[in-house]
Amino acid sequence: MNKKLRILQLYPKDMNIYGDWGNVLVLKRRAEWHGYETEVLEHDTGDDFPKDIDIVVGGGGQDSGQGRIQDDLQRAAPAIHRLAEKEVPMLVVCGLYQMFGKRFITRQGQEILGIGLFDMETRGGDERLIGNVILQSDEFGEIVGYENHSGLTNLSSSVKPLGTVVRGAGNNLSAGNEGARYKNVIGTYLHGPLLPKNPEIADWILEKACSKKFGDFTSTVIDDRLADSAREIAKTRPR
Ligand code: GLN
């Protein structure tokens, strides 16, 4: 029997816009190409938080969706923190990225509590920041994605961003950085979805999950020419 990875998607009913579910599809398909089985689980409000999770993925949502999940997310917070401390890889995008920080204050002044995994907070801004984004990151080289948010995120000085903005807005309009890192947790504003255009990040997540669970990661060479073209095309599109 093949080795199996359990992938958890957080709040797909409320937090899954701009194709964020595609991140789960990419992890599942690439894991299978590398020779692993996968099981995809979903956690929505009211569900019991599942056990034995190897990868956690979460997407973006409207402010209203963030409001709907906030109580349940507080309930799940201890389990998520435990997984993060055990170096389980996670990818959280936009709305859930904001809620992995300490709090999000909407444009209307409503406070939505986060779980404080990243030492950062977000405030709703006056402008929507929309368009293709290019980042440069130490670990993954160039990252290409698409942002659509009005929240402006400020990282505390101890938090490492995912990358430096080459094109686009990123965390806010002045810091020149995008996303956040904590252990094997990646937070980012980048939709697209992110992983089809950035397979290196997908394989990094799989490598972390497999090394932790099975002691090693056996990979195969995957033809990523389509992903490469998608990146190149996104880079030439107007913002
Ligand atoms: N509501 C948040 C914002 O606009 C998150 C948006 C999103 O997840 N795309 O800042």
Side-chain angles (χ1 to χ4, degrees), residues 84 88-90 92 100 117-118 180-187 204:
V88 166
M90 305 189 192
V92 285
F100 269 43
L117 196 77
F118 299 126
R181 293 290 315 275
Y182 176 71
K183 294 190 186 268
N184 290 335
V185 183
I186 299 175
W204 178 90

Side-chain angles (χ1 to χ4, degrees), residues 15 17-18 20 59-64 66 93-96 98 104 122-125 128 147-152 189 191:
M15 305 296 287
I17 49 173
Y18 315 126
D20 284 336
Q62 317 297 340
D63 294 5
S64 53
Q66 291 173 285
V93 176
C94 206
L96 267 170
Q98 294 172 344
F104 167 44
T122 302
R123 276 173 194 272
R128 274 209 92 72
E147 66 186 331
N148 186 348
H149 57 107
S150 59
L152 302 172
Y189 273 110
H191 302 277

Side-chain angles (χ1 to χ4, degrees), residues 30 33 196 199-200 203 221-229 231:
R30 291 185 82 86
W33 283 337
E200 208 173 311
D203 282 355
V221 177
I222 296 173
D223 178 356
D224 281 327
R225 276 177 296 179
L226 259 182
D228 294 341
S229 315
R231 294 163 67 86

